[in-house]
Structures are given as structure tokens and as C-alpha cells.
Amino acid sequence: MLCFGAGSPEPKRAARALHEADPELEKWCRISLGELGLTSLARKVRVGWNPRMRTTAGRAWWPDAMIEMNPRLKDISEEEIQRTLCHELAHLVAYERAGRRRIKAHGVEWQVACADLGIPGEKASHELPFEGRKQQRKYAYHCNHCEEVIERVRKMRGSAACYTCCRKYAGGSYDERFLLVERKL
Ligand SMILES: [Zn+2]
Ligand SMILES: [Zn+2]
């Protein structure tokens, strides 16, 4: 996940602007969070479809408690929608449980949350499963802070910082401390 700074190719966008809310998916999240005893998160969680997403299947925003889903999932399958929703909700569950403790985006806390939500052994990837035309990723970017590695098909222009760390330690603003560093794949 990325947090873009000045001069980046992607437009700077407000994290809180939810595109097309989906009350049904939201309801499912609320019920699941209630079952896990996370009542405050259950009240806050929001889910919507973002038509500007391209190859990313889903995104979870913390501490906004917001999940963005790629509308192309609707062309794939119900199962893929559900699995992506679980994957993203697991991120929110892991951060909620961790509180102020620092955790890795796809670390053990997230894996436990995936199992709790019914998708044990879930993969760390956020890419859409496009049948037969999976593009080879050529570039990798590393966050020295949380150790997350982000893989890309294209080289990133401008500077980008780790979304997870910017969210957790810089109030969501671009922060050079969490600059992503290119490394060999
Ligand atoms: Zn993830
Ligand atoms: Zn990081």
C-alpha cells in the first residue's frame, strides 16, 4: 500500500471520501466485527466501490476504518468479492486489536484476523486475479520501517512513502521517514 507525496503520478486524494457506499457489504462487516467483539470498529466501518482503482483489488484505510473495493471484482465472481472484503477487513481487525502497537501489514496479526474471518492461509497480494494476463512485476520497493515490500509492473515516478507507516505514525500525511526504496526483485 502506498502513500503518495508531491510529484507522484497519482493524484492526491482524501482518504475519507468514500466513492460508492455498499450498505450490504458494510452490514456483513458490522456483523462479523460484532461476532469478534470489536463493537467500536463495527460502528465505524465503511465499505465502498472505487471506480478509479485499476489492478488493486481492495484497500483498507486505517484509522478511517474504510474499505475500498475495485468494481471490476463484480465481473469476476461473488467469491472474489467476499474474499477481498475479508482480506481488507482483516487489516482493520489487526490494527484495531494492535492499538498503538506497531505491526506489519501482512504479519501474524493480520494472518490471525484472516483465520478469524474464515480465510485462513490468505495471500498477502492485493492484485486482482485477471485470468491469463498477469503482468510480470519488475520493480520492488521496500519500506525500511515496517519492512513491507511493494511490487510494481512499472517504475514509480516521483517519491512515494509507505502508506501503512504514514497512516500509523504521520496522521496519514506523506512523511519522508517512510520513503520507499527501490530494490532488486
Ligand atoms: Zn493486504
Ligand atoms: Zn512501512
Side-chain angles (χ1 to χ4, degrees):
M1 290 187 283
L2 311 173
C3 188
F4 284 95
S8 97
E10 296 202 3
K12 230 178 162 169
R13 45 187 293 288
R16 281 171 189 82
L18 189 69
H19 286 267
E20 190 193 318
D22 190 311
E24 278 208 19
L25 297 186
E26 250 174 38
K27 188 180 166 193
W28 183 86
C29 289
R30 274 184 230 292
I31 292 168
S32 303
L33 292 168
E35 284 170 357
L36 294 176
L38 300 168
T39 49
S40 125
L41 184 56
R43 272 194 301 272
K44 286 190 291 182
V45 71
R46 287 181 302 156
V47 183
W49 300 95
N50 183 349
R52 286 157 84 183
M53 291 171 89
R54 293 184 175 275
T55 60
T56 305
R59 253 198 301 243
W61 297 88
W62 180 264
D64 303 53
M66 196 177 95
I67 293 170
E68 284 185 309
M69 304 274 285
N70 189 330
R72 296 183 199 200
L73 285 165
K74 295 177 189 173
D75 301 330
I76 300 175
S77 65
E78 256 331 293
E79 289 73 34
E80 211 51 53
I81 291 174
Q82 189 60 29
R83 193 195 56 79
T84 301
L85 186 62
C86 278
H87 178 122
E88 302 307 329
L89 188 60
H91 280 303
L92 300 184
V93 167
Y95 286 129
E96 179 80 2
R97 285 172 172 168
R100 291 179 167 275
R101 199 161 48 87
R102 193 176 121 187
I103 58 168
K104 286 186 184 179
H106 296 105
V108 67
E109 296 84 359
W110 172 79
Q111 290 160 22
V112 167
C114 283
D116 288 346
L117 290 166
I119 49 164
E122 168 69 2
K123 288 201 195 82
S125 167
H126 283 240
E127 299 296 301
L128 274 182
F130 281 125
E131 316 88 306
R133 53 187 194 93
K134 222 175 151 50
Q135 274 193 285
Q136 186 87 50
R137 296 196 197 103
K138 294 190 183 90
Y139 299 93
Y141 297 86
H142 178 248
C143 169
N144 284 321
H145 195 75
C146 72
E147 307 273 284
E148 185 164 28
V149 176
I150 291 142
E151 293 181 1
R152 290 263 141 160
V153 172
R154 292 206 202 109
K155 196 178 175 70
M156 279 196 226
R157 276 179 295 148
S159 47
C162 172
Y163 165 75
T164 310
C165 291
C166 289
R167 257 290 172 248
K168 289 209 86 163
Y169 311 111
S173 320
Y174 171 79
D175 190 319
E176 285 197 326
R177 285 180 296 162
F178 312 122
L179 207 62
L180 291 169
V181 182
E182 190 177 341
R183 75 174 199 192
K184 286 250 178 319
L185 240 185

